[in-house]
Amino acid sequence: MSIVKIKDKTFKTSISESEIKQRVKVVAEQISRDMADKNPLFIGVLNGSFIFAADLMREMTIPCEISFVKLASYQGTMSTGTIHEVLGINEDLTNRTVIIIEDIVDTGHTMKCMIESIGTRHPASVHICTLFLKPDKLQEDVKVDYVCFSIPNDFILGYGLDYDQQGRNLKEIYTLVEE
């Protein structure tokens, strides 16, 4: 187990790089089977999903496309509860199969807002793929179709997830150590 200090917080390794890669591959295989005839458009939610989105796309075995949207709702370790779209979607979503790629679904507020927003653009269907799901923290009735890991309600970072914009570059997942 490895310990890292990011700013004023201490984190310990909780999920290894190899475990992450293996789960991403399994989920990519599942999506490839489910969407074999769909040419889905993946929409990665920046900033947190960029590493997951890249690894997921490299494991896809079907024709697919990717775009990104940038949303903001966190400050430090806490969600503000307000979601702001910083960078929007430019693609025509009419009759497209859309798969939202998220780093972590906790309350579900961001996914609910995204599904509502995307729904106004007449997609054929909208699906959610997340690296992490916190089922005990979920407050919205959103269907998460593809989940790499279900985790407890701990604060984590690494593999694209951050603490106050730091730690995204870590190859493993680290969990906050209560001090």
Side-chain angles (χ1 to χ4, degrees):
M1 176 174 49
S2 176
I3 301 285
V4 296
K5 184 109 170 144
I6 305 289
K7 293 193 168 191
D8 60 336
K9 307 271 186 227
T10 302
F11 298 84
K12 66 178 179 181
T13 307
S14 55
I15 303 174
S16 71
E17 180 182 15
S18 62
E19 286 177 87
I20 297 166
K21 301 259 186 210
Q22 190 272 331
R23 286 297 302 149
V24 170
K25 183 176 178 60
V26 167
V27 167
E29 289 168 353
Q30 183 182 1
I31 294 170
S32 293
R33 279 191 309 274
D34 293 351
M35 305 291 167
D37 59 345
K38 305 278 191 218
N39 188 27
L41 171 63
F42 288 91
I43 299 176
V45 180
L46 295 174
N47 287 337
S49 76
F50 78 104
I51 293 174
F52 174 43
D55 286 350
L56 184 69
M57 290 300 288
R58 283 193 292 262
E59 296 293 341
M60 295 302 299
T61 59
I62 60 170
C64 55
E65 301 169 31
I66 191 164
S67 186
F68 291 91
V69 63
K70 183 167 183 174
L71 306 174
S73 68
Y74 266 80
Q75 289 181 335
T77 62
M78 300 298 295
S79 175
T80 63
T82 305
I83 295 139
H84 304 281
E85 188 171 288
V86 181
L87 173 67
I89 303 164
N90 295 322
E91 286 73 16
D92 179 8
L93 303 182
T94 305
N95 297 321
R96 294 293 310 266
T97 297
V98 175
I99 302 174
I100 302 167
I101 302 174
E102 181 65 295
D103 57 350
I104 188 164
V105 175
D106 46 29
T107 63
H109 296 314
T110 301
M111 288 300 94
K112 182 180 180 203
C113 287
M114 273 203 72
I115 289 167
E116 289 171 356
S117 175
I118 289 170
T120 66
R121 299 178 65 184
H122 313 290
S125 62
V126 180
H127 307 271
I128 300 171
C129 175
T130 189
L131 182 60
F132 297 105
L133 174 65
K134 291 183 176 179
D136 294 339
K137 196 169 179 190
L138 204 57
Q139 297 173 7
E140 300 290 346
D141 185 21
V142 292
K143 180 182 179 211
V144 183
D145 304 274
Y146 304 100
V147 178
C148 290
F149 297 94
S150 286
I151 61 170
N153 191 22
D154 296 327
F155 187 82
I156 60 173
L157 66 74
Y159 195 74
L161 288 87
D162 72 299
Y163 165 52
D164 205 17
Q165 298 303 322
Q166 298 293 307
R168 292 188 194 278
N169 59 311
L170 299 170
K171 293 179 181 181
E172 299 177 310
I173 293 297
Y174 291 80
T175 301
L176 178 65
V177 175
E178 293 300 327
E179 298 172 331

